[in-house]
Amino acid sequence: MKSNLFKQNAVSFVVGLVFAIGLAVSGMTQPQKIISFLNPSNWDASLLFVMLGALGVHLISYPLIRKRKSPLLETKWHIPTRQDVTARLVLGSALFGIGWGLAGFCPGPALTSLASGDVKSLLFVATMIFGMLLFKKTEAHLKLKE
Amino acid sequence: MELNSILYSLLGGALIGVAVTLMLLFNGRVTGISGILASSLAKPNSESLWRWMFLAGMIVGGFFMYQIRPDLFVNVSGRSLAAVAIAGLLVGYGTVMGSGCTSGHGICGLSRFSVRSLLATITFMFFGFLSVQIVNYFLGGSI
């Protein structure tokens, strides 16, 4: 099992690498493209085609892979199974959306842009991490069901 | 939109689809970037090292692309540092509260027809649209 853990880590690295290359190739590391996607009066459809490309692959690969009993390097699947719609899901997604439109960054492109040294991506990632920690600190006070 | 731009977006999207496919096939996991980042902030152990490896891969991938195509990383959004800082805070807080972002909900979740992910994706797209419209119509396009 130990060597499998090593292989899993290697796969994770490659997945991160390919994902980041995909984001850059598709133009998603340019925040103005996201802002324009969210603006029909000056529409940039790039994100739509990125989604089509990604979903085009994964809509086919997902059911094929899930026919297997287990993943190649793991004994079990780690796939979310929840079906319940909660206030927390909607409110959290709304807050994310507001921030997304405000900066034109979502987590992936911001992390991919770090190595470019762009000050805005550095700042965004720093406050994003702070926001994540802040949620964990304040979660108990929100009285929102898990 | 130029044809080239459409083709590159489709190609990049397909690469992202291949990446999440590899993660599922080998490790049996969903590639949700906000979830991976948020969980990586906890104390690391050998079971959670894969998250750090994924994040390292993303940064190396970004570095590689920046070396060959620095023009892909030009940020001409015109958003101020204050706006970007607040945006990061909202994205960090919101994605943990909402259990995912564009990758986890928008790509992985939609691919398995998750109702939660569909609702999350519609919600963040709609509020992203509202956010941009408010900046454009009430703040003259700059913030």
Side-chain angles (χ1 to χ4, degrees):
Chain A
M1 266 334 267
K2 194 125 191 127
S3 68
N4 265 3
L5 214 51
F6 178 81
K7 284 182 201 161
Q8 281 186 33
N9 290 335
V11 168
S12 296
F13 181 85
V14 173
V15 170
L17 190 85
V18 176
F19 204 120
I21 292 171
L23 284 171
V25 166
S26 60
M28 296 295 96
T29 45
Q30 295 152 272
Q32 63 280 7
K33 280 187 167 278
I34 303 299
I35 293 169
S36 295
F37 174 78
L38 296 168
N39 187 14
S41 56
N42 179 29
W43 203 44
D44 180 325
S46 296
L47 178 63
L48 178 70
F49 291 105
V50 179
M51 294 288 288
L52 287 177
L55 289 173
V57 172
H58 205 45
L59 275 169
I60 297 166
S61 65
Y62 181 82
L64 289 176
I65 293 171
R66 285 307 299 275
K67 279 185 186 155
R68 297 178 51 88
K69 259 206 174 97
S70 67
L72 291 173
L73 300 172
E74 255 286 6
T75 49
K76 59 180 193 296
W77 300 100
H78 303 270
I79 311 292
T81 52
R82 288 178 62 175
Q83 302 263 341
D84 55 323
V85 167
T86 58
R88 194 183 133 144
L89 177 78
V90 178
L91 186 59
S93 299
L95 292 175
F96 163 41
I98 294 168
W100 193 37
L102 208 51
F105 274 131
C106 54
L111 289 167
T112 302
S113 298
L114 280 180
S116 75
D118 169 43
V119 177
K120 285 179 184 169
S121 70
L122 289 167
L123 179 65
F124 182 91
V125 170
T127 59
M128 173 169 72
I129 289 173
F130 181 73
M132 289 174 164
L133 296 170
L134 191 66
F135 180 77
K136 290 176 184 176
K137 286 269 181 237
T138 54
E139 189 177 2
H141 305 289
L142 290 176
K143 301 196 168 66
L144 285 173
K145 271 202 313 207
E146 173 70 35
Chain B
M1 235 178 126
E2 285 175 47
L3 180 64
N4 252 353
S5 179
I6 293 173
L7 291 177
Y8 276 115
S9 294
L10 280 170
L11 172 69
L15 281 174
I16 293 168
V18 169
V20 301
T21 295
L22 292 174
M23 184 70 102
L24 182 73
L25 177 63
F26 285 93
N27 295 3
R29 291 186 185 276
V30 166
T31 312
I33 298 176
S34 61
I36 291 173
L37 179 62
S39 301
S40 76
L41 301 173
K43 216 175 190 171
N45 59 48
S46 64
E47 298 289 323
S48 68
L49 187 63
W50 69 272
R51 296 192 177 90
W52 285 89
M53 295 301 290
F54 173 82
L55 296 171
M58 284 208 95
I59 290 167
V60 172
F63 179 79
F64 168 71
M65 288 306 292
Y66 183 66
Q67 296 310 309
I68 57 171
R69 288 288 302 275
D71 56 307
L72 293 175
F73 294 83
V74 175
N75 188 345
V76 293
S77 67
R79 301 296 204 235
S80 67
L81 290 177
V84 169
I86 293 166
L89 198 64
L90 288 168
V91 170
Y93 199 87
T95 50
V96 181
M97 182 191 260
S99 313
C101 60
T102 334
S103 54
H105 282 314
I107 296 166
C108 297
L110 291 188
S111 294
R112 58 171 199 276
F113 300 107
S114 158
V115 175
R116 279 170 60 84
S117 290
L118 178 63
L119 181 65
T121 305
I122 291 170
T123 306
F124 66 68
M125 292 266 179
F126 178 67
F127 277 86
F129 159 79
L130 276 187
S131 172
V132 170
Q133 298 314 309
I134 287 170
V135 172
N136 283 350
Y137 291 101
F138 294 97
L139 303 166
S142 67
I143 184 168

